[in-house]
Amino acid sequence: MADIIVVEGEQCVADVVRAAFEREGHCCVTMQDGLDAVDAIVEADFDLAVLGLGLTSVDSLQLLKYIRTLDVPTIMVLGASQEEERENCMAIGASACIVKPFSIRELLSCANRLLRRGGAVRETMRVGMAEIDTAARQVHIAGCEVPLSPKEYDLLMLFVRNPHRAFSREDIYEHVWHGYYPSKSKAVDVAVARLRKKMGWDTEIKAIRKFGYRFDPPSVG
């Protein structure tokens, strides 16, 4: 049994997909609002996401980028007129794409392939002395768990997946908070300061004057 989230603007499509997954013994939740889906994905540990391209409350491709930072395999559902977006979706991080109208057998086959391939298998990343369990969203250093908030964890993953890359504060805010950066906001600086302290990365997360931050991974040992 897998935990699956379906984010689809057409309720009738979402209901059919949910019923199909439940018949297979999976636990499935459906949502039409992309912003609600973000909250649900942060709080739950889903094994698979099915995402429609035509969401109105939030850009579907931005939501896809966010889901993939959590290492949740994602099936993109494209409309018949959107098939040209397949390459773009795959480049962003979709695990697979299917086009409406699709058969339930096609969807289930695709989902089962991704689940068997290891969608629910934990991946452990090692960065210096830190071990990151991406499925559990847990971080340990020397066997002790580092208590990170959801935003701190997202910030951590942005850095460790993009070593030596300079991010502006605006870039960080867009990736982690998924919105435009308020000019007077200190959210990024506060989150970076907390992450530095919790991870012991005072020198590894470098401030770039009048721009933002860059992560230079620590050496092991």
Side-chain angles (χ1 to χ4, degrees):
M1 184 180 73
D3 291 313
I4 301 172
I5 183 169
V6 176
V7 189
E8 167 60 53
E10 295 184 50
Q11 187 63 54
C12 58
V13 175
D15 289 343
V16 170
V17 170
R18 180 183 62 200
F21 280 132
E22 289 178 346
R23 283 196 301 270
E24 292 292 302
H26 300 305
C27 179
C28 182
V29 297
T30 62
M31 292 189 171
Q32 290 182 279
D33 187 279
L35 295 177
D36 290 342
V38 169
D39 292 335
I41 292 166
V42 168
E43 295 174 2
D45 187 12
F46 290 104
D47 301 313
L48 178 71
V50 179
L51 175 61
L53 190 59
L55 301 180
T56 56
S57 61
V58 66
D59 183 83
S60 299
L61 297 183
Q62 290 296 322
L63 181 55
L64 170 62
K65 289 179 183 178
Y66 176 73
I67 293 173
R68 294 304 291 141
T69 65
L70 306 180
D71 291 316
V72 178
T74 303
I75 300 173
M76 291 297 299
V77 179
L78 311 179
S81 63
Q82 299 169 326
E83 190 166 2
E84 69 279 1
E85 290 289 339
R86 181 189 297 268
E87 184 175 343
N88 189 26
C89 292
M90 297 299 291
I92 289 173
S95 307
C97 294
I98 60 176
V99 179
K100 297 176 183 176
F102 56 87
S103 70
I104 290 299
R105 178 176 295 181
E106 176 188 6
L107 174 63
L108 292 177
S109 175
C110 182
N112 290 333
R113 183 174 66 253
L114 293 175
L115 292 169
R116 284 196 303 269
R117 196 167 70 188
V121 175
R122 279 180 162 76
E123 172 195 359
T124 299
M125 300 177 63
R126 288 178 173 81
V127 184
M129 296 297 293
E131 292 189 357
I132 306 170
D133 184 335
T134 58
R137 290 173 63 88
Q138 291 180 325
V139 181
H140 291 82
I141 296 178
C144 297
E145 184 174 355
V146 181
L148 298 180
S149 71
K151 293 301 182 188
E152 289 165 355
Y153 179 87
D154 292 345
L155 179 61
L156 170 73
M157 295 308 297
L158 177 66
F159 283 142
V160 300
R161 292 193 183 281
N162 298 276
H164 309 297
R165 174 180 169 181
F167 284 98
S168 69
R169 288 176 175 82
E170 290 81 3
D171 288 337
I172 294 173
Y173 198 86
E174 179 181 350
H175 280 86
V176 177
W177 280 263
H178 310 286
Y180 294 106
Y181 184 65
S183 59
K184 296 183 179 180
S185 174
K186 297 294 183 183
V188 170
D189 299 305
V190 169
V192 167
R194 289 176 176 169
L195 185 62
R196 278 173 164 166
K197 182 177 180 180
K198 291 181 178 182
M199 298 297 297
W201 287 350
D202 288 339
T203 58
E204 286 78 7
I205 301 178
K206 293 178 170 59
I208 302 175
R209 180 177 166 79
K210 295 183 178 180
F211 183 74
Y213 296 93
R214 184 185 72 241
F215 175 62
D216 295 332
S219 58
V220 178

